[in-house]
Amino acid sequence: AQSVTQLDSQVPVFEEAPVELRCNYSSSVSVYLFWYVQYPNQGLQLLLKYLSGSTLVKGINGFEAEFNKSQTSFHLRKPSVHISDTAEYFCAVIGTGGFKTIFGAGTRLFVKA
Amino acid sequence: NAGVMQNPRHLVRRRGQEARLRCSPMKGHSHVYWYRQLPEEGLKFMVYLQKENIIDESGMPKERFSAEFPKEGPSILRIQQVVRGDSAAYFCASSPTGTTVMSEYFGPGTRLTVT
């Protein structure tokens, strides 16, 4: 079984500042890792995913994440945020060979002018 | 190529009524997954279906909830005798096979409000 912990429920940040949203997971098997963004009253949009290979993954909207197996982490970063990045961000995992996506509770990113 | 479609997008039901939520997978996808998002929480797996088969329903409440994915037509999540605690956003996802890289194909969700 897998679990996901998003360490911050809310992250306020000023526009153009860098941001890191933290995600830790636990699993007894290898996993695939994902970050999603959800704008108010909308569905999920995939930002990026790690399946294998390079541990630094680049996604859409200037986001990137680094898979750290020893730390069991998959933190999401952006060097300079915009007001439009204000949204809820979910980290998720699937065990290889499984089909259930396990989601974290979400981190609300609030970008201030 | 249309993505995963869900309807209705918003549904209001009174306590005791039935709610039917529909999910049309992407073209060529024969696997459907339903998730529920309660207010202020992440998504929780409910059920995994293939055409005419329920593969895993370990996340479904034991009573009042059922799901189907017929040979023709959309997948249906049915909630009988709704209660206020059923108010949530319900998302479905689809995949062409039972692979684990399906997570990019989520629908926009149905927001159910029980009054």
Side-chain angles (χ1 to χ4, degrees), chain B residues 22-92:
Chain B
R22 296 175 186 76
C23 169
S24 297
M26 288 183 68
K27 188 176 180 181
H29 288 193
S30 58
H31 298 245
V32 166
Y33 313 76
W34 284 93
Y35 291 81
R36 177 165 66 173
Q37 183 180 30
L38 293 169
E40 308 298 323
E41 293 186 18
L43 280 72
K44 298 282 195 295
F45 169 82
M46 297 182 76
V47 61
Y48 164 33
L49 309 106
Q50 294 178 22
K51 288 278 188 182
E52 300 184 281
N53 284 307
I54 296 175
I55 307 303
D56 186 310
E57 56 182 347
S58 58
M60 289 274 275
K62 294 288 186 284
E63 297 176 349
R64 303 188 296 107
F65 284 72
S66 62
E68 63 177 10
F69 189 16
K71 188 176 180 181
E72 302 290 337
S75 175
I76 306 287
L77 179 67
R78 182 180 176 209
I79 312 172
Q80 295 178 289
Q81 298 175 325
V82 296
V83 301
R84 288 227 172 102
D86 297 331
S87 294
Y90 292 83
F91 293 92
C92 78

Side-chain angles (χ1 to χ4, degrees), chain A residues 47-107:
Chain A
L47 278 177
L48 48 80
K49 60 185 176 184
Y50 171 79
L51 303 181
S52 64
S54 172
T55 57
L56 183 62
V57 181
K58 293 195 182 295
I60 62 171
N61 300 344
F63 284 93
E64 64 180 31
E66 185 151 21
F67 171 52
N68 187 320
K69 189 174 181 180
S70 62
Q71 304 271 341
T72 61
S73 68
F74 191 54
H75 300 334
L76 180 72
R77 300 186 185 98
K78 186 169 182 177
S80 175
V81 294
H82 302 127
I83 297 284
S84 59
D85 292 322
T86 295
E88 187 98 26
Y89 291 79
F90 292 98
C91 180
V93 303
I94 299 178
T96 55
F99 54 81
K100 294 179 190 178
T101 306
I102 308 299
F103 287 87
T107 296

